[in-house]
Amino acid sequence: MIMKILQKYKAIAMISASMLFVACAQEDQPKESQLDYTVQNKTELDNWIGTSFLDPYNIKVYYEWNQNLVDNNRFLFPPTVDKVQPALEVVKKIWIDSYSTIGGADFVKKISPREFVLVGGTNLNTSGTMTLGLAEGGQRVTLFQLDYLNRKSRADVTEFIHTIQHEYVHILNQTKPFDEQAWAKLTPSGYTSSWYVQPTATSRSLGFITSYARLNIYEDFAETASIILTSSKAEYDAILASVTDVNAKANLKKKEAIVVQYYKDNFNMDFYALRDEAQKNTTAVINN
């Protein structure tokens, strides 16, 4: 009997505790949601980005400030809004359209970064150099100095698009590696972490297309490919003609040949046709 009475009171206590918990839980609930569910209205620029990048290529563009997407230890700022579309038009015309024409309409759809982060200002390094672009894990490309791009200047457009071409080569290499062993044998003693104090002419006399190419074989490959893509045939021939060292010139030509074969073997693409298309589209951008 005593056991039954205890069980009865225990059950009543459990029910009371449950009711008290429910009551407290209800009292603790906020009267109104603290989350902002407001849907931001899309601007004309947002709609253009959607139809030009997000919908056809699944590339999301971040141009508004997001501290989670940049290095907060650098003095960086978002691009001026009216600079965004002109810069992206350069990217689309010279990079995407060129690859789509030569590599096929679906080429960039299949292999591309999924995010572009745009920054208005310069990304300065403690070494005194500037970082013009970053490629992170093949998924995100950050572009700097949008506010300073002059679309009427071939030099400005070439420097800007060189950044995209360079970073995209890294993404291609992550998809299909180049012949690293063959490349590493060409100029093994010329690589240095102090590339930024080396004059371009000195680096070319050692078989490197730019001084930055001397950082490692991966930057060397990307620089070789991107410099050719951002130069006309005559301009690149002039670079080679400026190199008087026989071995250096031979190594530059061997590196060029590896790049050309890489595009042919892995993507069935004529690299020189891609260069000519990019040059044609660069001229169209400048004259528009």
Side-chain angles (χ1 to χ4, degrees):
M1 177 65 75
I2 293 175
M3 183 62 68
K4 290 183 178 180
I5 293 173
L6 289 174
Q7 289 177 343
K8 178 179 179 181
Y9 280 111
K10 185 177 180 181
I12 294 172
M14 291 178 64
I15 294 171
S16 299
S18 298
M19 294 176 64
L20 179 63
F21 176 78
V22 172
C24 290
Q26 290 177 343
E27 290 176 2
D28 290 342
Q29 295 300 311
K31 298 298 185 292
E32 296 180 3
S33 174
Q34 302 301 307
L35 299 176
D36 183 6
Y37 292 104
T38 304
V39 177
Q40 298 295 326
N41 292 327
K42 287 188 176 182
T43 65
E44 185 176 337
L45 174 60
D46 294 329
N47 291 329
W48 180 84
I49 290 174
T51 57
S52 302
F53 285 86
L54 185 58
D55 296 341
Y57 304 105
N58 195 26
I59 300 174
K60 184 172 178 58
V61 177
Y62 295 94
Y63 66 90
E64 295 180 325
W65 191 245
N66 185 331
Q67 64 180 8
N68 298 316
L69 300 177
V70 295
D71 184 350
N72 291 297
N73 294 317
R74 304 294 179 97
F75 181 69
L76 303 173
F77 53 85
T80 305
V81 174
D82 61 7
K83 295 286 187 177
V84 173
Q85 183 169 333
L88 289 176
E89 287 173 347
V90 172
V91 172
K92 172 126 185 359
K93 183 67 175 177
I94 302 176
W95 168 53
I96 293 181
D97 289 358
S98 298
Y99 269 95
S100 297
T101 298
I102 305 302
D106 292 334
F107 190 86
V108 178
K109 295 179 182 179
K110 294 177 180 178
I111 307 175
S112 73
R114 295 307 165 198
E115 296 178 346
F116 272 130
V117 177
L118 308 182
V119 177
T122 302
N123 187 6
L124 292 174
N125 302 309
T126 55
S127 62
T129 60
M130 293 184 298
T131 298
L132 300 177
L134 294 170
E136 302 175 59
Q139 296 299 311
R140 176 186 298 164
V141 169
T142 303
L143 299 174
F144 302 95
Q145 299 187 193
L146 252 74
D147 282 5
Y148 309 127
L149 174 62
N150 176 5
R151 281 186 47 164
K152 296 299 181 182
S153 166
R154 193 176 195 93
D156 273 20
V157 170
T158 297
E159 181 181 56
F160 180 70
I161 207 65
H162 170 243
T163 302
I164 294 112
Q165 299 285 27
H166 178 105
E167 300 304 338
Y168 190 54
V169 170
H170 282 314
I171 291 172
L172 293 178
N173 290 164
Q174 290 171 10
T175 304
K176 299 286 186 179
F178 63 95
D179 191 341
E180 298 175 12
Q181 291 185 345
W183 195 283
K185 292 177 182 178
L186 296 177
T187 51
S189 62
Y191 295 104
T192 173
S193 59
S194 301
W195 60 269
Y196 50 87
V197 298
Q198 307 297 322
T200 301
T202 299
S203 295
R204 287 176 177 169
S205 71
L206 296 174
F208 297 88
I209 196 64
T210 66
S211 293
Y212 185 51
R214 298 179 63 182
L215 181 59
N216 54 53
I217 63 171
Y218 308 103
E219 300 304 337
D220 196 2
F221 186 96
E223 277 292 271
T224 301
S226 57
I227 287 293
I228 296 173
L229 287 175
T230 54
S231 305
S232 66
K233 182 180 184 303
E235 288 169 338
Y236 189 71
D237 286 345
I239 291 175
L240 292 178
S242 70
V243 180
T244 56
D245 185 277
V246 175
N247 289 330
K249 183 179 292 188
N251 283 326
L252 283 169
K253 290 182 176 180
K254 288 176 183 177
K255 290 177 180 180
E256 176 186 351
I258 292 176
V259 169
V260 172
Q261 197 64 41
Y262 168 80
Y263 273 76
K264 179 64 177 177
D265 291 346
N266 292 285
F267 307 111
N268 193 30
M269 195 181 306
D270 183 333
F271 186 72
Y272 294 123
L274 179 63
R275 173 201 62 194
D276 294 343
E277 187 69 17
Q279 284 299 297
K280 184 190 77 174
N281 289 337
T282 299
T283 300
V285 163
I286 295 168
N287 294 334
N288 186 7

